Amino acid sequence: MSSDQPAPYGGTSSGTSQPSAQRPALTPSRVRTVHLQQFKDRGERFSMLTSYDAMTTQIFDEAGIEVLLVGDSAANVVLGQESTLRISLEEMVVFASAVTRAASRAMVVVDAPFGTYEASAEQAVHCGVRLMKKSGAHAVKVEADASMADHVRAMVSAGIPVMAHVGFTPQSEHALGGYRIQGRGEAAQTVMNDALALQEAGAFCVLLEMVPADVAAEVDAALRVPTVGIGAGAATTGQVLVWQDMLGLNAGRVPRFVRQYAELRATMSEAVRTYRDEVRSGAFPAQEHSY
Ligand SMILES: Nc1nc(=O)c2c([nH]1)NC[C@@H]1CN(c3ccc(C(=O)N[C@@H](CCC(=O)O)C(=O)O)cc3)CN21
Ligand SMILES: CC(C)C(=O)C(=O)O
Ligand SMILES: [Mg+2]
């Protein structure tokens, strides 16, 4: 993998890594939490995409995406479920293991699924450790608010880098009354307080989902740690999208915060129809496909 772009991680520009002369040759740079902090400190942006399997991970990793999220959105986009609520820790481990095996440079973050971390700080540590041990992921994301600060503090104490997901938290869909923008009007202070409390508890990054852009900008300005946004405007340190949404594979209605960068559904549909036609007509397989 080569790049002409000077990256804020690796190379001699990184203040935290050893000088390049002493670094073992051919060791690929690995994005770590310190590098995400450097993006924020330098006023630069980083990209995050979801990933659930080895081949897409290779593509995203080689393209330079800094962070790959093994999202519990796998429940929706891989398993075909209505919400993220039913996916298990064991299922998340299967997807996350595939991603960590294929990612050589990106940081891999795995979502803690609903029901595995809310009950107590002990449960959060136990399940966070299980997720990291069984999948090889580099960090764990939890949907949280200020009341979960002690859970996050305990995870961080146990050596688990924690990304805190605030604003619209899909695992609380039923408690929040549906897919709703959070932090409008007076509720902006709640989002701010949640983000500050989770940073104070040791989260290395705060993800803001579906909050007004001005609120996200204020949160990013108030926090020392980097922020990642999805439907949170342009002021966050990073951006994240579900890859099937941004590459046009998802047939369903996509949220307003998605920009579609490709039409993979149309591309695949056309190719598969051609294949079927050629099988029917006998045009495939040809001589060169036969032994
Ligand atoms: N395919 C996919 N994309 C996602 O972004 C995603 C998932 N799945 N699964 C887990 C969560 C759920 N998320 C969602 C799902 C739906 C909306 C949504 O329907 N938003 C509407 C309504 C917003 C409003 O008016 O209140 C929108 O148009 O943005 C938003 C976030 C984000 N995540
Ligand atoms: C939408 C992102 C932030 C997520 O949590 C997921 O993909 O599960
Ligand atoms: Mg999620």
Side-chain angles (χ1 to χ4, degrees):
M1 189 169 61
S2 72
S3 170
D4 296 326
Q5 292 292 108
Y9 41 84
T12 51
S13 63
S14 170
T16 54
S17 59
Q18 53 184 307
S20 55
Q22 291 169 24
R23 191 185 296 143
L26 298 173
T27 300
S29 298
R30 169 69 78 181
V31 179
R32 296 177 182 278
T33 59
V34 290
H35 304 119
L36 301 186
Q37 183 67 53
Q38 285 172 15
F39 274 93
K40 172 144 187 179
D41 295 345
R42 295 171 191 208
E44 294 179 18
R45 307 282 169 84
F46 65 83
S47 306
M48 175 162 160
L49 276 180
T50 63
S51 199
Y52 317 96
D53 64 62
M55 288 196 188
T56 51
T57 294
Q58 279 173 12
I59 296 168
F60 303 158
D61 192 66
E62 286 170 10
I65 300 297
E66 282 81 14
V67 187
L68 297 178
L69 172 66
V70 185
D72 57 354
S73 50
N76 307 113
V77 296
V78 183
L79 301 178
Q81 296 170 358
E82 279 283 307
S83 77
T84 58
L85 294 175
R86 290 168 60 188
I87 198 165
S88 68
L89 187 143
E90 290 72 24
E91 288 167 328
M92 291 301 297
V93 166
V94 172
F95 299 128
S97 298
V99 171
T100 61
R101 257 182 239 122
S104 61
R105 187 169 182 241
M107 174 174 178
V108 179
V109 180
V110 60
D111 257 346
F114 179 62
T116 66
Y117 62 95
E118 302 88 341
S120 64
E122 289 71 25
Q123 186 198 29
V125 171
H126 177 73
C127 290
V129 167
R130 267 173 73 204
L131 270 174
M132 287 186 73
K133 249 186 152 58
K134 290 175 180 254
S135 74
H138 310 126
V140 173
K141 178 162 77 62
V142 294
E143 295 184 10
D145 60 18
S147 74
M148 297 279 296
D150 288 340
H151 298 53
V152 170
R153 204 184 319 279
M155 293 172 81
V156 172
S157 294
I160 304 168
V162 175
M163 181 179 289
H165 179 158
V166 306
F168 175 63
T169 46
Q171 293 173 11
S172 307
E173 170 199 332
H174 301 298
L176 295 171
Y179 295 149
R180 293 183 128 164
I181 295 152
Q182 304 293 308
R184 274 193 170 143
E186 291 188 357
Q189 195 57 52
T190 307
V191 173
M192 177 67 84
N193 292 343
D194 290 343
L196 286 169
L198 294 162
Q199 167 182 266
E200 204 274 320
F204 71 87
C205 180
V206 173
L207 185 149
L208 297 155
E209 177 164 353
M210 276 211 295
V211 303
D214 59 335
V215 175
E218 284 176 29
V219 171
D220 183 79
L223 292 186
R224 173 184 41 81
V225 300
T227 57
V228 184
I230 176 164
T236 54
T237 321
Q239 294 289 329
V240 60
L241 288 173
V242 170
W243 80 257
Q244 288 89 344
D245 296 343
M246 60 89 71
L247 293 180
L249 194 59
N250 189 352
R253 199 186 61 80
V254 295
R256 179 178 151 176
F257 52 69
V258 175
R259 177 175 285 168
Q260 223 170 284
Y261 288 85
E263 300 272 1
L264 289 196
R265 191 175 182 86
T267 304
M268 289 178 73
S269 175
E270 219 172 289
V272 166
R273 282 159 201 273
T274 303
Y275 165 68
R276 179 172 182 270
D277 289 346
E278 293 191 356
V279 169
R280 282 169 73 94
S281 72
F284 177 83
Q287 198 76 62
E288 67 264 31
H289 308 116
S290 308
Y291 300 95

